[in-house]
Amino acid sequence: MNETFLYENNGVILEDGMVRYNKPGHTREIAHLGYCHEGRQTAHYYTFGMLLGHLDEQAGLHMLQSISMLQRTDKLDPHYGGFRWYREEKLVNDTNAAFFILRPLVMLYMCHPDVIPASHRTVIHDMLHHAGEWFRKECEDPILYYPNKIVSDGALLLAISYLLNNPYYLEEGIRFFERWEAYTTRRGWGWGENISLVYLSVILNALQIAIKVLVGQQHPLEQQLRFRIQNIYQFLRFQDGEEFVPTIRSYNFSGETKRDDMIWSIAGIVAVDGLQPEKLTMNHLLSLLLFEEELSEAADSPKSLSKPRIWEEPIFDMSSAYYWIGTSSRLGSINRFPVIPGSYQWSDWGLGWQSFPVSFSVTGEQVSFLRWYVDLGDEVRTHPGESYRTSYLAPALFKESFFPDIQTRSAQFEHCLLTVRCMSNLNHYAAEIADEWVIHRYVGVIEEFVTTVEGRPWLLLKYAHTTIAITALNGITSDASERQVMTVEIEHESDRVKLRQVLHTGQAGFVQQPRLETGWAVLSLEHLTQKDDILAYLEEVRIEDLSFADGEVPRTKFADIRQIRLSIAGMEKVHLHLDPHE
């Protein structure tokens, strides 16, 4: 913990009680500035500075007073009790700053109250007193589909009830968690943060805070939340310390196969002495405050897992994620994305730019993923994005204030994947639209092979112990009204290669199309690295891609039902049914 604190804060500027960054903040209000003073990182600095003895009483008090200046304390303010992210902001730009800023302070107070002087407790109590009403209101009318945010709000409401000895907040916090637990049992995890490495960590911390408050209350919620944590552990152990393939709400745009996180140690996958302090952050270390006992219990060597293995993770209603892990590769897909209506893209938020619904990875190489590419003439936008900073403030694929319906439908069995992706009701300005596999750091030669029986072209990405075979299915381009055979272009860039199906290209202008559509089939052929073996295998692969009207509802050609079947050696492996009206 101390090594991580010192490494992360080497060269950090403390200015008037706050951490200063010589770069813009992440919110639209201050994105144009060249610097910012951030409340969340200041709270992290205070928490570990006090715990590790790097702050004296006066310096710590100054920090807390500076943090408190970010809070709205006027009871008539509609954001009463909430926080701004940054000193430079004038507005409360979202509802998340409150829990992210107060969370480390609450964790320290609950787990190590002895390091907090009386003068500090006065300031913290004042902030919690105002924040209690903020969290109560957030939980009174909760955004149940936004789990990391709302579970954190509920956890902090319970924590405030404990720290301020407020039975009313305890009652309201329990009432919220009863409602959240019922929703999650009945429908699922909302828009899908249960398959996000980043936000599972936030959720685990929140659930653990709630459990610590509920201990001794003799309420069934305690065991229900413990059961939730155990289910998360099982999912993490299946992943065995590598990036989720697929994932929702990830920022792994460079396709790293591993990302260091305390969450792996909490789940018993990586021993604490195997962590690398310089790859962690103070945000990661928060879990150490809550899960000390779990880390002690998980000290034994991790158990080896069988390969290949499969996991199907329910997300929301009929949406689920399919994970296949082989000996040297992984292949995964979400059967329908977005998993919840209305979550894909808006002008100022959305999950499309930060989610990877179809992907594969090769151990020690890269995670490769499908993404939408749109050239608007004066800028390029992609889903998922090129980076957090470029996409956060421009999260929609197009500039217009209305949005096309963008959907991904997939079916998978073991190492065989079929996926269809579409844009419907397109009336947007663009110069090029494409669907592309992005493969970072690929140093091999992509080989092309056409089967003799089907005449199907395959692209082969060859690795030491795995070959990934990719082919295009039928699709609909901007110059066609029905499905047709698609071609794949190979585009090399300095540090990556892209396999592209181009749906529209030309001079920038308005593209008006009822439906654009792509399709892909992907096979992970483990232990097939010799050319003759690969070609013999692919000659046994058959893909039937049919479109037809059912006569039950009116259909134009682009709305025909689609049936895709992939068979190997005469045995059907995977079947994807697609109805554009559904």
Side-chain angles (χ1 to χ4, degrees):
M1 188 184 290
N2 191 61
E3 287 182 52
T4 296
F5 177 87
L6 294 174
Y7 185 86
E8 185 174 359
N9 293 300
N10 181 31
V12 160
I13 300 170
L14 293 178
E15 191 171 80
D16 195 19
M18 294 195 75
V19 171
R20 170 182 169 135
Y21 288 129
N22 290 322
K23 61 182 181 181
H26 76 283
T27 63
R28 194 175 303 275
E29 184 182 355
I30 64 165
H32 63 287
L33 298 180
Y35 65 93
C36 63
H37 296 79
E38 187 183 46
R40 174 171 55 173
Q41 194 68 357
T42 303
H44 289 164
Y45 195 105
Y46 168 85
T47 296
F48 292 104
M50 294 302 298
L51 183 61
L52 300 170
H54 294 295
L55 286 174
D56 60 28
E57 181 172 350
Q58 187 56 42
L61 180 61
H62 191 196
M63 278 191 154
L64 286 176
Q65 290 169 337
S66 297
I67 293 170
S68 72
M69 296 299 291
L70 301 176
Q71 188 175 34
R72 294 293 176 87
T73 58
D74 181 354
K75 292 185 177 181
L76 298 179
D77 190 318
H79 296 106
Y80 169 60
F83 280 76
R84 294 172 289 136
W85 284 99
Y86 303 97
R87 174 183 290 165
E88 287 72 27
E89 290 176 312
K90 294 181 180 179
L91 305 174
V92 175
N93 280 290
D94 63 34
T95 61
N96 295 359
F99 83 78
F100 272 121
I101 290 173
L102 288 179
R103 186 178 60 155
L105 308 181
V106 163
M107 288 181 176
L108 182 66
Y109 205 158
M110 292 182 71
C111 300
H112 295 278
D114 54 301
V115 305
I116 304 177
S119 62
H120 294 196
R121 295 188 186 199
T122 299
V123 181
I124 293 174
H125 278 201
D126 285 344
M127 285 191 281
L128 297 183
H129 175 78
H130 297 302
E133 278 302 292
W134 169 268
F135 293 123
R136 184 192 66 79
K137 289 180 180 178
E138 291 295 297
C139 292
E140 187 176 51
D141 188 19
I143 306 172
L144 294 168
Y145 59 80
Y146 195 170
N148 99 83
K149 174 261 190 304
I150 202 61
V151 173
S152 295
D153 286 345
L156 287 186
L157 182 60
L158 286 178
I160 290 171
S161 79
Y162 170 77
L163 295 173
L164 299 186
N165 191 25
N166 187 318
Y168 174 58
Y169 288 160
L170 175 63
E171 179 183 335
E172 291 296 294
I174 288 174
R175 182 180 303 173
F176 158 74
F177 270 106
E178 287 175 333
R179 183 173 176 184
W180 176 80
E181 175 66 24
Y183 168 86
T184 307
T185 299
R186 177 171 53 92
R187 302 200 70 179
W189 286 86
W191 58 24
E193 288 170 346
N194 59 315
I195 61 167
S196 166
L197 179 64
V198 174
Y199 293 105
L200 270 182
S201 181
V202 178
I203 291 167
L204 276 175
N205 286 339
L207 294 177
Q208 188 77 341
I209 290 171
I211 288 169
K212 284 185 174 293
V213 176
L214 291 169
V215 168
Q217 296 294 329
Q218 303 300 313
H219 196 285
L221 263 176
E222 180 189 343
Q223 290 306 316
Q224 290 168 353
L225 298 186
R226 289 187 188 277
F227 182 71
R228 290 280 174 201
I229 286 180
Q230 291 304 316
N231 284 344
I232 292 172
Y233 286 168
Q234 290 178 16
F235 177 69
L236 289 168
R237 288 165 187 156
F238 172 85
Q239 303 295 344
D240 199 24
E242 293 201 17
E243 174 65 295
F244 305 166
V245 176
T247 181
I248 288 174
R249 298 209 74 198
S250 171
Y251 308 110
N252 188 12
F253 305 113
S254 60
E256 304 300 328
T257 59
K258 286 193 174 185
R259 290 190 290 163
D260 291 84
D261 200 300
M262 280 301 310
I263 200 171
W264 301 120
S265 295
I266 295 168
I269 300 164
V270 178
V272 174
D273 58 8
L275 295 172
Q276 300 181 64
E278 71 277 7
K279 291 187 177 181
L280 298 174
T281 65
M282 290 187 291
N283 188 49
H284 290 134
L285 294 180
L286 289 174
S287 299
L288 281 174
L289 301 179
L290 293 170
F291 289 94
E292 185 175 353
E293 293 180 7
E294 285 74 5
L295 287 167
S296 299
E297 294 172 359
D300 297 335
S301 298
K303 297 179 180 178
S304 59
L305 300 172
S306 62
K307 295 179 180 179
R309 60 183 184 270
I310 295 169
W311 184 287
E312 293 189 60
E313 177 70 7
I315 304 175
F316 185 80
D317 286 353
M318 301 302 293
S319 300
S320 61
Y322 188 101
Y323 296 87
W324 175 82
I325 296 179
T327 56
S328 58
S329 66
R330 299 173 181 228
L331 181 65
S333 57
I334 299 172
N335 68 332
R336 53 189 305 130
F337 183 81
V339 300
I340 189 170
S343 65
Y344 186 83
Q345 64 178 342
W346 296 91
S347 59
D348 56 355
W349 70 276
L351 273 61
W353 68 273
Q354 53 186 306
S355 297
F356 302 72
V358 184
S359 54
F360 67 84
S361 71
V362 177
T363 303
E365 298 288 348
Q366 74 283 110
V367 176
S368 303
F369 49 86
L370 274 179
R371 76 170 187 182
W372 291 109
Y373 172 100
V374 177
D375 182 348
L376 300 174
D378 58 350
E379 68 172 301
V380 169
R381 298 187 182 186
T382 65
H383 282 179
E386 282 286 346
S387 69
Y388 183 95
R389 186 158 296 279
T390 57
S391 297
Y392 181 84
L393 298 178
L397 269 180
F398 299 91
K399 291 183 179 180
E400 289 78 13
S401 58
F402 56 95
F403 308 100
D405 182 27
I406 298 179
Q407 299 284 336
T408 295
R409 297 288 187 269
S410 301
Q412 185 176 342
F413 178 71
E414 296 178 344
H415 67 294
C416 307
L417 165 68
L418 297 171
T419 188
V420 170
R421 287 150 61 79
C422 69
M423 296 183 181
S424 298
N425 300 322
L426 195 68
N427 187 19
H428 294 76
Y429 195 86
E432 184 178 66
I433 302 171
D435 191 23
E436 54 189 23
W437 279 100
V438 177
I439 306 151
H440 290 281
R441 301 175 296 281
Y442 182 70
V443 296
V445 175
I446 297 177
E447 297 185 20
E448 300 182 55
F449 170 70
V450 179
T451 58
T452 57
V453 177
E454 273 199 324
R456 174 171 293 279
W458 288 89
L459 298 176
L460 308 179
L461 285 77
K462 298 178 69 175
Y463 298 87
H465 304 290
T466 300
T467 298
I468 304 296
I470 299 176
T471 187
L473 305 177
N474 295 338
I476 305 174
T477 62
S478 63
D479 57 2
S481 60
E482 57 186 282
R483 295 178 186 115
Q484 60 187 9
V485 175
M486 298 290 287
T487 59
V488 180
E489 298 178 358
I490 302 173
E491 182 175 309
H492 293 273
E493 296 181 347
S494 59
D495 60 346
R496 66 186 180 187
V497 62
K498 300 191 297 185
L499 311 181
R500 314 180 77 233
Q501 291 187 44
V502 178
L503 294 169
H504 172 81
T505 187
Q507 292 186 339
F510 274 94
V511 183
Q512 297 176 314
Q513 281 290 122
R515 186 176 179 90
L516 299 177
E517 192 173 276
T518 68
W520 303 87
V522 182
L523 301 173
S524 180
L525 308 180
E526 296 213 319
H527 308 302
L528 290 182
T529 57
Q530 297 301 312
K531 186 172 183 179
D532 290 345
D533 296 334
I534 297 167
L535 302 189
Y537 188 95
L538 292 178
E539 288 291 1
E540 296 291 321
V541 176
R542 302 286 184 274
I543 298 177
E544 184 181 55
D545 189 351
L546 302 177
S547 299
F548 57 90
D550 57 359
E552 295 187 3
V553 297
R555 295 183 186 275
T556 55
K557 283 294 183 181
F558 63 81
D560 278 352
I561 290 176
R562 189 169 179 183
Q563 296 277 14
I564 310 170
R565 290 182 172 86
L566 187 151
S567 302
I568 301 176
M571 295 185 61
E572 183 178 302
K573 289 291 187 179
V574 61
H575 171 206
L576 177 59
H577 170 91
L578 182 71
D579 185 343
H581 286 326
E582 293 179 353

